[in-house]
Amino acid sequence: MIEIDKITRLYNGVPAVDAVTMTIETGTVTVIVGTSGSGKTTLLRMINRLEEPSSGEVRINGESTLTIKPHILRRRIGYAIQGHGLFPHHTVARNIGAVPELLNWSADKISARVDELLTLFSMEPETFRNRYPGELSGGQQQRVGVARALASRPDLLLMDEPFGALDPVIRTRAQDDLRRIQKQLGSTIILVTHDMEEAIRLADRVAVMDSGQLVQHGTPAEIITRPATEFVADMVGRVERPLRLLSLVPVSELVEEGVAEGEALPVEASLRDALSACLWTGRAAVPVEQDGVLVGRVTFEAIRARARARAHP
Amino acid sequence: MRIGTFLRPALTLLLLALVLRPVWFTPLFAPFASAGGPVIYERASLLSLSISHLGLVAAASAAATLVAVTLAILVTRPAGAAFLPLSRTITNMGQTFPPVAVLALAVPALGFGAGPTLVALFLYGLLPIFENAIVALSTLPPATMEAARGIGLNRWQQLVRVELPLALPVTLTGIRLSVVIALGTATLGSTVAARTLGEVIIAGLLTNNTAFVLQGGLIVGLFAVLIYDALVQLETRLVRRTGG
Ligand SMILES: Nc1ncnc2c1ncn2[C@@H]1O[C@H](COP(=O)(O)OP(=O)(O)OP(=O)(O)O)[C@@H](O)[C@H]1O
Ligand SMILES: [Mg+2]
């Protein structure tokens, strides 16, 4: 459990982060969203003490971070920096293996881990292992930056806009990979983004920052349906609101008996995918399949009813 | 590049011949010799003079590099920032003193020979290295430095694993300038009895023998050109590796 306790950071008397208090459960993904300059990076950097708070403190499992030497603290916390920050004079493999090296892993174990991570991020180890960061595309550099943060399997991961430079296809895949790894390892992730879509897709809890203050901290559904301020409502977007809500619900929740025409959707798909399929093909219902076997259908009418019920509970 | 691939070995061979087999060049230098005087300098072997010359330059440059880089590291730490102006003043003074004056002042203290020359070359070498090292260490990519701290390197590891390697190419440019200046300046050392190639030039000037002057000058010039070129190549290679 990470407790952020009335943490404040002043720059020339002006608060960049203003008395933020927030508790983060172990094994969850918390996404911090906010406009540019709202203090997201500053908040994140105070957790691993790259920035010292002007007042307040952070406790990890009850232990104040102020009692630990900063560089020792940071070796325990994975950190993917905004804009990758790779070491230009080290190969991809050495960049990814930087923290394991500091923790004295054996060379074999490090190189196995490097290859595993490269593969995970769809980068052929043979091809990329010995390249220098200058020989990678922006998106590849960013993935190596994220791989470096994951390398030692830290319990806590801080990620500052880790997918900003990725194209939509790879970004979606990287998000899914991150979520899968997180579930597998049970790690705690605090991720910064200004993309609400990304926040809702990844988060167990969303924290919305506005001018240094934490204006709302809740589940994605709460943020969408009960925005605490106008600012939060604007961040969610009034037009996208119902669709974002539907994207949180899997088709499996509305599956009913019956048949429908056309291409089937997997049960893991969201209601938004189902709605989109209905609209695009003009169907009133879409068949649903599980592991390739038809299990029923989801109707347009049911989606509409659910959207209304969720929006006005 | 193309020119270099032919010129480099050609100049190296020319230099080797001039140093090891000077008599081969008798016909070439004969027209410049004083009437009836010797054409080729034979009072000392050119090889031993060259080795002594290069040795002085190497020792002085190594010491200057060590001191200048250490100073640059200290004044680019947060705790040392206050000393930046002072250390700049000191190294600049080293540069504004004419080399001959340094030699003249150092002789009473250190006696004739290699000592005063080493001091002069050392003082002259400091400034370019110090300035370049400071620029290099204070313009490192901020994101990389942030990452170095962020993954948990301590101060010393940050310096040794990240800052110094990244600062190396620009620092090397300073070292190159300093070495080339020292190669030329070292010739003055022979006025206070240091064994350098300046001996040949001075002997030529004293006896009005242009052949000696040409011979000594040519050898020093070729050393300067070839060493400069080698260091440029080293830098290029380093820059390419650090992703420039
Ligand atoms: N070192 C600093 N000195 C002075 N002001 C700073 C410093 N670092 C950040 N700030 C200010 O603090 C505020 C918050 O900055 P921060 O980097 O946390 O924003 P952010 O939410 O991460 O923005 P972005 O989405 O653009 O990355 C900004 O107004 C910024 O100008
Ligand atoms: Mg930021």
Side-chain angles (χ1 to χ4, degrees):
Chain A
M1 188 170 66
I2 295 149
E3 296 160 278
I4 298 172
D5 190 0
K6 292 216 209 70
I7 205 168
T8 296
R9 170 73 215 201
L10 304 173
Y11 287 119
N12 311 316
V14 184
V17 171
D18 192 357
V20 168
T21 296
M22 171 159 76
T23 301
I24 292 162
E25 296 300 330
T26 303
T28 61
V29 177
T30 298
V31 178
I32 305 174
V33 277
T35 47
S36 187
S38 55
K40 308 183 293 294
T41 297
T42 309
L43 178 59
L44 200 68
R45 294 173 81 238
M46 285 194 285
I47 297 173
N48 64 359
R49 291 185 63 194
L50 281 171
E51 199 73 71
E52 296 293 353
S54 307
S55 65
E57 68 169 7
V58 176
R59 288 182 297 275
I60 300 180
N61 299 328
E63 186 183 15
S64 166
T65 55
L66 296 171
T67 61
I68 311 168
K69 279 217 180 80
H71 68 272
I72 302 293
L73 174 73
R74 291 179 201 134
R75 284 178 200 175
R76 303 198 328 216
I77 302 178
Y79 180 47
I81 178 181
Q82 187 168 11
H84 74 75
L86 295 176
F87 301 130
H89 58 306
H90 289 171
T91 59
V92 165
R94 231 188 129 190
N95 266 287
I96 297 178
V99 182
E101 190 191 323
L102 285 175
L103 299 174
N104 295 319
W105 287 22
S106 72
D108 289 347
K109 199 172 157 201
I110 295 178
S111 74
R113 180 67 177 149
V114 166
D115 288 1
E116 180 187 344
L117 283 163
L118 282 173
T119 310
L120 186 66
F121 284 102
S122 324
M123 293 170 70
E124 179 61 44
E126 295 292 320
T127 318
F128 289 101
R129 203 190 279 139
N130 295 319
R131 289 213 193 162
Y132 286 89
E135 300 164 341
L136 303 178
S137 76
Q140 289 165 345
Q141 289 170 341
Q142 204 167 33
R143 275 176 281 166
V144 174
V146 174
R148 177 173 65 183
L150 292 169
S152 65
R153 302 192 182 85
D155 298 332
L156 174 58
L157 260 169
L158 309 178
M159 313 183 91
D160 199 347
E161 306 200 17
F163 306 128
L166 304 186
D167 63 74
V169 177
I170 295 187
R171 180 185 315 177
T172 311
R173 202 160 68 206
Q175 289 165 347
D176 292 344
D177 288 341
L178 183 69
R179 199 65 234 221
R180 199 182 63 237
I181 298 164
Q182 186 270 337
K183 286 233 170 73
Q184 256 171 32
L185 298 177
S187 27
T188 310
I189 297 182
I190 306 176
L191 182 145
V192 162
T193 179
H194 47 238
D195 176 5
M196 188 53 96
E197 182 79 27
E198 180 165 274
I200 288 169
R201 176 184 267 275
L202 288 174
D204 295 308
R205 289 282 184 284
V206 177
V208 186
M209 301 266 306
D210 182 15
S211 335
Q213 293 181 332
L214 177 66
V215 288
Q216 192 168 8
H217 182 207
T219 63
E222 278 165 11
I223 300 280
I224 298 167
T225 54
R226 295 197 299 277
T229 65
E230 276 301 294
F231 176 79
V232 180
D234 287 344
M235 281 296 293
V236 174
R238 276 160 230 280
V239 176
E240 293 91 347
R241 191 161 60 176
L243 300 172
R244 295 209 196 284
L245 206 48
L246 288 176
S247 75
L248 292 172
V249 187
V251 164
S252 55
E253 285 196 17
L254 282 192
V255 158
E256 58 180 49
E257 299 216 340
V259 289
E261 296 286 302
E263 210 179 327
L265 279 173
V267 278
E268 307 86 38
S270 73
L271 287 185
R272 180 166 67 174
D273 300 331
L275 176 67
S276 166
C278 286
L279 293 175
W280 188 250
T281 56
R283 286 176 284 178
V286 195
V288 177
E289 62 178 22
Q290 185 162 22
D291 305 323
V293 184
L294 283 181
V295 292
R297 64 175 186 180
V298 57
T299 65
F300 183 70
E301 204 47 51
I303 297 172
R304 200 174 71 160
R306 172 54 80 93
R308 220 191 116 62
R310 293 276 307 222
H312 309 277
Chain B
M1 262 281 119
R2 291 244 143 195
I3 297 177
T5 47
F6 295 108
L7 208 53
R8 204 169 292 134
L11 290 180
T12 312
L13 286 177
L14 178 63
L15 177 61
L16 285 174
L18 274 167
V19 172
L20 298 174
R21 295 283 179 272
V23 280
W24 289 357
F25 296 87
T26 312
L28 195 67
F29 289 124
F32 302 100
S34 52
V39 177
I40 299 301
Y41 189 78
E42 273 165 345
R43 248 174 284 167
S45 107
L46 290 176
L47 179 63
S48 81
L49 285 182
S50 299
I51 289 172
S52 167
H53 189 114
L54 294 181
L56 281 174
V57 170
S61 299
T65 302
L66 199 67
V67 171
V69 172
T70 308
L71 271 178
I73 291 171
L74 290 178
V75 300
T76 48
R77 300 307 96 183
F83 297 103
L84 182 59
L86 177 69
S87 54
R88 277 214 157 126
T89 312
I90 293 174
T91 44
N92 270 304
M93 264 166 47
Q95 200 78 1
T96 48
F97 247 66
V100 175
V102 175
L103 287 177
L105 287 174
V107 167
L110 301 169
F112 282 92
T117 315
L118 277 174
V119 170
L121 294 185
F122 168 75
L123 289 179
Y124 273 80
L126 282 179
L127 185 71
I129 304 177
F130 180 63
E131 290 284 1
N132 277 46
I134 283 191
V135 169
L137 286 170
S138 52
T139 55
L140 296 167
T144 303
M145 288 316 300
E146 164 96 353
R149 294 175 63 210
I151 67 166
L153 296 180
N154 61 31
R155 289 276 185 83
W156 175 252
Q157 290 167 328
Q158 284 170 42
L159 179 69
V160 173
R161 297 193 189 190
V162 183
E163 295 181 62
L164 289 180
L166 290 182
L168 188 59
V170 175
T171 309
L172 210 53
T173 307
I175 296 175
R176 167 164 54 94
L177 292 177
S178 169
V179 165
V180 169
I181 294 172
L183 275 168
T185 312
T187 54
L188 292 176
S190 289
T191 57
V192 294
R195 295 198 71 224
T196 77
L197 289 162
E199 199 176 305
V200 184
I201 299 173
I202 290 168
L205 292 173
L206 291 178
T207 57
N208 238 340
N209 188 342
T210 315
F212 283 3
V213 178
L214 280 176
Q215 216 179 331
L218 202 57
I219 294 175
V220 173
L222 282 175
F223 270 126
V225 167
L226 287 171
I227 291 173
Y228 184 91
D229 175 65
L231 290 172
V232 167
Q233 285 191 314
L234 186 60
E235 275 162 53
T236 322
R237 196 161 303 169
L238 285 173
V239 169
R240 206 175 303 144
R241 275 203 63 193
T242 55

